[in-house]
Amino acid sequence: MTLAIDKVPHCTSMTEVRAGVNALDDVLVPLLVQRSGYMTQAARVKNDEGLVRDEERIETIVQRVRTLAQAQGGNPDLIERIYRAMMECYIAYEHDELARLRAAGLPPKQEESV
Ligand SMILES: C=C(O[C@@H]1C=C(C(=O)O)C=C[C@H]1O)C(=O)O
């Protein structure tokens, strides 16, 4: 299979570079929106502000995407930085979504009875 890095053509102008970037953004943005939909799902399923940030899951994702980046001929450090920044945005969004769902009537999770 062709590596992602090998799909980038040799460009001779910024017009060509920017056309290539725009074409990738046309693919990326719908996927980022779809990913945000899972944050809404996570907010509702967790229904607990204290569970929104999950450090163990963050580290699992970082290791996973580093491996994926390497396999596609990419720079794992770059992809890790992008993912860490992106997940902070999604965590903030998940907090916002939980607040929105609560305001819309999602009852707070019941405390465990003893
Ligand atoms: C979606 C989750 O909530 C948060 C958002 C994550 C993400 O952007 O992938 C990862 C871990 C959590 O801090 C989750 O716990 O899986």
Side-chain angles (χ1 to χ4, degrees):
M1 206 195 73
T2 311
L3 304 187
I5 198 69
D6 294 332
K7 293 180 185 169
V8 181
H10 177 79
C11 298
T12 54
S13 69
M14 280 311 295
T15 303
E16 203 182 338
V17 168
R18 288 174 181 171
V21 169
N22 286 351
L24 291 177
D25 286 342
D26 288 349
V27 177
L28 269 173
V29 171
L31 292 175
L32 292 172
V33 170
Q34 198 175 343
R35 197 180 195 285
S36 77
Y38 281 103
M39 300 305 126
T40 305
Q41 298 299 308
R44 184 177 39 75
V45 171
K46 291 178 186 173
N47 194 9
D48 182 339
E49 288 82 354
L51 297 180
V52 169
R53 171 181 291 276
D54 185 328
E55 296 293 348
E56 198 177 321
R57 173 65 175 156
I58 291 169
E59 296 311 314
T60 299
I61 289 175
V62 165
Q63 285 316 310
R64 200 171 165 274
V65 299
R66 285 185 64 90
T67 302
L68 289 169
Q70 190 105 55
Q72 291 294 333
N75 181 321
D77 292 339
L78 171 66
I79 299 304
E80 174 174 347
R81 286 205 304 278
I82 291 169
Y83 260 78
R84 285 194 187 280
M86 182 183 80
M87 285 191 284
E88 289 306 319
C89 296
Y90 278 121
I91 288 165
Y93 182 70
E94 193 179 319
H95 275 294
D96 290 348
E97 283 295 88
L98 181 51
R100 182 184 65 78
L101 291 169
R102 284 270 177 70
L106 177 71
K109 198 157 71 179
Q110 295 291 352
E111 293 297 323
E112 293 286 321
S113 57
V114 282

